[in-house]
Amino acid sequence: MTVRTRFAPSPTGYLHIGGARTALFAWAYARRHGGSFILRIEDTDMERSTPEAVQAILDGMNWLGLRWDEGPFYQTRRMGQYREVIQQLIDEDKAYYCYASREELDLMRERQMAEGLKPRYDGRWRPEPGKTLPPKPDVPPVVRFRNPTSGLVEWNDLVKGHIAISNEELDDLIIARADGTPTYNFCVVVDDWEMNITHVIRGDDHVNNTPRQINMLKALNADIPQYAHLSMILGDDGQKLSKRHGAVSVMQYHTDGYLPEAVLNYLARLGWSHGDDEIFSMDQFCQWFDLDHITSSAAQFNTEKLNWLNAHYIKQADMDMLVGDIRTRLTDSGVAVTDVPALTEVVALYRERANTLNDLAGQVRFFYDRPQSLDTAAVEKHMTPDIMPVLKMLAAELEGLDWTTEMVHQAIEHAVVSNGLKFPKVAMPLRLILTGGTQSPSIDHVMRVLGKQESLARLSHFLS
């Protein structure tokens, strides 16, 4: 059997992290087994689906590098096929027209609830009882699937284990609306059947759809795929991760300065494990990935762990890619990046200190955008009256130096020793004047990269 998986998002919003994890697992399972990964856009919700959301899904998949083998297939372009299959089911007495009005259905449910029953369609327009009902030529009917009325629907869920649902719990699902439009659950069945999907990997919010879909597949004499329902993802706050949590769109992570490698690596470990391995490439992930080690309990998103992984991948990132990204982020924030100092040197100096690319861009901004003001509290703490003469003496000595890290360090050390001070007493105010803050790599390294002319100009501006 050739493995065929699919990712089938509805374009009613952006590709969020939960959907990205589903796509990753379906993609990896296909790769592990030498199969095919299909992208399907389930856009039958005409009112909520938008071209912008479709593009956001494609952008998110491309940014993550989850390449599909077939598709994208759009359900709205397959309406003719769905209608043919609906007619086939009607012809085979496996589906039927239902003329019940909304008012009738509301009264039916009210009566059932008053009797303590589960509200459900009572099958009044099924072929047998429907023969006794008066025709309604002025009412456009819906089409309902004729669900079995006895027995169990069973499957071995590859994540949740054995699941069995009584057919008595399932009513006759509408598969075509009154205007002839096929419904979501029916379109999914036809697509999985005709696209030969062997493994349906999706969120566990679809568990309730599965028995209905299995019954429809059986009615079509179609092969039943294996199902794996992934548990939900909880946010940092322990609540269900959803679009309302804010920055959960995949492309928002790009905007916030995360690398796709880090996001993928993190998602791979969100509900799945391979021993104690935390950091691994996607090639390695595809070699390891199976459905046996997916937890059936909810996974909790941990931003600190994602930041830790992202910091690792920033340290390992290709320098040309990193420099290009930081240049773009600085330019977009209004900073003109000049040739001096070289951005490559700047990024190399700071890449070890950043959790995100936004962190990195923010930390190196001062090289190209001279700080206009200094933190008042830091000035009061470090720019004490007794240190000002020392800084002026240091500035004078720096004027005549060959500008290397070693020579700058020696000059600072000389100012420290000759004045009976400790190194931070001089380095901290120096760092504050040059960078605008109190955190940086060794100040002598910073000054060497910043350059002699700019370093002395900033000192002179502050000390004059």
Side-chain angles (χ1 to χ4, degrees), residues 323-347 361 364-369:
V323 168
D325 184 281
I326 298 305
R327 184 183 301 276
T328 298
R329 290 176 193 271
L330 288 171
T331 301
D332 288 347
S333 68
V335 176
V337 180
T338 57
D339 292 336
V340 179
L343 188 54
T344 300
E345 285 192 278
V346 170
V347 169
V364 304
R365 182 185 181 107
F366 75 88
F367 282 97
Y368 306 99
D369 185 21

Side-chain angles (χ1 to χ4, degrees), residues 30-298:
R31 293 290 175 269
R32 165 76 186 273
H33 295 280
S36 297
F37 173 61
I38 292 87
L39 177 61
R40 190 168 76 215
I41 305 298
E42 299 187 337
D43 54 350
T44 54
D45 188 340
M46 303 290 196
E47 293 183 0
R48 299 174 60 213
S49 297
T50 66
E52 292 79 13
V54 171
Q55 191 58 51
I57 290 168
L58 299 179
D59 289 345
M61 295 285 285
N62 282 319
W63 181 67
L64 289 170
L66 298 178
R67 305 286 184 249
W68 50 92
D69 301 302
E70 298 176 25
F73 298 106
Y74 296 85
Q75 288 185 330
T76 50
R77 301 175 188 176
R78 289 173 46 78
M79 289 298 173
Q81 181 61 25
Y82 303 140
R83 291 188 177 100
E84 284 184 18
V85 178
I86 288 171
Q87 189 60 51
Q88 173 190 331
L89 290 175
I90 292 172
D91 294 343
E92 296 175 356
D93 209 22
K94 296 174 181 176
Y96 60 93
Y97 293 106
C98 171
Y99 292 87
S101 67
R102 182 178 297 276
E103 291 74 21
E104 285 181 84
L105 295 173
D106 288 342
L107 285 172
M108 178 198 313
R109 292 188 178 91
E110 287 176 12
R111 184 169 58 253
Q112 290 168 337
M113 293 175 69
E115 295 174 359
L117 302 174
K118 178 181 176 181
R120 60 198 301 275
Y121 177 66
D122 62 5
R124 64 181 61 185
W125 280 96
R126 277 185 160 233
E128 292 79 13
K131 293 176 182 177
T132 65
L133 295 175
K136 294 184 177 182
D138 57 333
V139 176
V142 299
V143 178
R144 290 183 181 271
F145 171 68
R146 192 174 182 180
N147 196 76
T149 56
S150 62
L152 297 175
V153 190
E154 300 181 79
W155 75 96
N156 179 42
D157 196 281
L158 299 177
V159 172
K160 295 183 174 297
H162 180 259
I163 297 177
I165 305 292
S166 170
N167 277 314
E168 294 179 356
E169 295 292 315
L170 307 174
D171 56 7
D172 290 351
L173 183 74
I174 295 174
I175 60 175
R177 302 178 183 90
D179 64 0
T181 306
T183 58
Y184 164 79
N185 265 301
F186 181 72
C187 295
V188 168
V189 165
V190 175
D191 288 342
D192 286 344
W193 171 38
E194 294 192 344
M195 295 177 187
N196 298 309
I197 301 301
T198 62
H199 294 77
V200 174
I201 301 170
R202 59 187 178 185
D204 63 4
D205 53 329
H206 289 284
V207 167
N208 290 337
N209 293 329
T210 303
R212 301 177 185 277
Q213 293 173 5
I214 288 176
N215 280 340
M216 284 188 278
L217 286 164
K218 288 180 177 178
L220 293 167
N221 297 314
D223 292 334
I224 310 300
Q226 297 189 66
Y227 292 91
H229 289 94
L230 310 176
S231 61
M232 70 174 65
I233 302 174
L234 304 179
D236 285 304
D237 58 2
Q239 300 300 308
K240 181 180 177 181
L241 190 67
S242 68
K243 297 173 187 178
R244 71 175 182 274
H245 274 77
V248 294
S249 160
V250 165
M251 295 312 293
Q252 184 64 46
Y253 284 91
H254 166 62
T255 301
D256 290 346
Y258 292 91
L259 291 168
E261 298 91 337
V263 174
L264 285 170
N265 193 157
Y266 181 73
L267 289 178
R269 289 284 286 111
L270 201 57
W272 174 86
S273 62
H274 185 269
D276 295 327
D277 294 291
E278 294 281 358
I279 298 174
F280 40 80
S281 68
M282 283 301 98
D283 285 343
Q284 182 64 77
F285 175 55
C286 290
Q287 292 176 32
W288 287 339
F289 183 71
D290 57 23
L291 299 172
D292 298 333
H293 291 86
I294 296 176
T295 178
S296 59
S297 57

Side-chain angles (χ1 to χ4, degrees), residues 362-434:
Q363 290 175 29
V364 304
R365 182 185 181 107
F366 75 88
F367 282 97
Y368 306 99
D369 185 21
R370 187 180 295 184
Q372 300 301 307
S373 61
L374 305 181
D375 180 77
T376 302
V379 169
E380 290 180 357
K381 180 177 180 180
H382 299 293
M383 306 301 293
T384 55
D386 60 318
I387 204 64
M388 300 304 286
V390 177
L391 294 177
K392 289 181 179 180
M393 181 193 76
L394 174 60
E397 184 173 347
L398 291 170
E399 287 274 4
L401 288 186
D402 290 334
W403 205 255
T404 65
T405 302
E406 293 76 14
M407 294 301 292
V408 171
H409 181 83
Q410 288 179 22
I412 299 172
E413 188 70 39
H414 179 255
V416 168
V417 173
S418 62
N419 288 279
L421 302 171
K422 293 185 177 179
F423 199 87
K425 184 70 175 178
V426 176
M428 287 303 288
L430 196 57
R431 180 177 286 112
L432 186 59
I433 293 169
L434 297 176

